[in-house]
Amino acid sequence: MPDERYWNDRYLQGHTEWDMRQVSPPLQAYFDQLPDKNIAILIPGCGNAYEAGYLLEKGFTNSTLLDISPVLIDRLREKLPPSPALKLITADFFDHRGGYDLIIEQTFFCALDPAKRPDYVEQMHRLLKPGGRLAGLLFDREFKSHAAPGDAAPVGPPFGGHLDEYKKLLEKKFRIKTLASCYNSIRPRAGTELFLIAHPWPVL
Ligand SMILES: C[S@@+](CC[C@H](N)C(=O)[O-])C[C@H]1O[C@@H](n2cnc3c(N)ncnc32)[C@H](O)[C@@H]1O
């Protein structure tokens, strides 16, 4: 299953097909309506983190970018303007500790071994402060091209999924406010993404 070396190699070889080269429009719209610019935000599996540049530009003061790939984080340190509003961390998401008001999901869940999905939910819950929320995008599709006919398990990443499965997983630890078809995805992902907003139990 994909580990630090796997992700480093993807960045070194330029196999970053997921990279949108722009802020994700649904996330941009979500950020634009957030009233408090001082909330603590975590972007796990941040990749090239165009969202972080946008948050900085819009005056958000407390964003943490976390990724397992040191190659990627070194590149981000060179690319992003040094700012106390941006913290960069090389770490495995599952080992990270902290308290956040908002955690952003974007092509991170689908990058993880599906066997880790319950751990993802637990860890998101652990990292969110009471009253916080997990927000972002989840694929509503399978990636069949990655599995040979008759394969027992899907090959990936990315690993696909669907609304009912996410609902079942998340409801153990979250009150789901929104989990619905996304209307403003980038064109190649149109109709295949769900927008999620979920609050950790207990909801304040
Ligand atoms: C498919 S990429 C998506 C990157 C970015 N979110 C985007 O949408 O462009 C998945 C990212 O998650 C990172 N990653 C994978 N497993 C991780 C883990 N356990 N902890 C932290 N980052 C991880 C990879 O290094 C990679 O940057």
Side-chain angles (χ1 to χ4, degrees):
M1 274 299 151
D3 56 6
E4 176 189 323
R5 196 157 124 202
Y6 170 89
W7 290 106
N8 266 334
D9 286 349
R10 297 280 302 237
Y11 285 108
L12 286 169
Q13 292 161 12
H15 286 306
T16 55
E17 292 78 5
W18 62 80
D19 193 306
M20 292 171 43
R21 298 175 192 280
Q22 66 171 91
V23 183
S24 161
L27 286 176
Q28 179 172 344
Y30 181 71
F31 296 147
D32 285 347
Q33 51 79 56
L34 291 176
D36 184 354
K37 310 251 187 207
N38 297 316
I39 53 171
I41 301 175
L42 174 68
I43 309 182
C46 62
N48 277 308
Y50 306 99
E51 286 70 31
Y54 186 75
L55 288 168
L56 190 63
E57 197 184 300
K58 291 287 159 186
F60 285 84
T61 62
N62 188 359
S63 302
T64 300
L65 315 185
L66 179 144
D67 204 284
I68 202 168
S69 163
V71 168
L72 180 269
I73 292 288
D74 284 351
R75 286 183 186 171
L76 281 185
R77 282 191 208 287
E78 282 173 27
K79 192 179 86 171
L80 289 167
S83 163
L86 289 183
K87 188 145 70 136
L88 275 69
I89 300 177
T90 307
D92 188 325
F93 165 71
F94 295 98
D95 297 332
H96 184 56
R97 295 293 176 265
Y100 298 93
D101 301 299
L102 170 64
I103 305 183
I104 298 300
E105 167 55 48
Q106 163 137 277
T107 45
F108 175 53
F109 179 89
C110 71
L112 300 170
D113 178 351
K116 300 207 90 164
R117 289 180 175 183
D119 297 344
Y120 169 101
V121 173
E122 290 281 339
Q123 173 66 341
M124 285 294 182
H125 188 271
R126 197 176 298 130
L127 289 171
L128 281 164
K129 293 181 194 169
R133 65 265 195 222
L134 169 63
L137 296 146
L138 293 168
F139 279 116
D140 190 21
R141 58 166 290 191
E142 295 301 331
F143 290 92
K144 289 205 171 70
S145 58
H146 290 264
D151 274 358
V155 180
F159 300 101
H162 294 285
L163 191 146
D164 286 352
E165 179 195 350
Y166 302 147
K167 204 164 167 277
K168 224 196 237 168
L169 264 170
L170 287 161
E171 274 176 350
K172 293 187 179 125
K173 288 284 184 181
F174 289 85
R175 181 177 72 79
I176 297 172
K177 185 179 171 212
T178 305
L179 183 58
S181 215
C182 195
Y183 67 89
N184 51 357
S185 300
I186 55 164
R187 192 183 291 243
R189 296 184 190 175
T192 68
E193 289 187 308
L194 301 167
F195 199 83
L196 167 72
I197 303 173
H199 298 273
W201 292 117
V203 174
L204 300 182

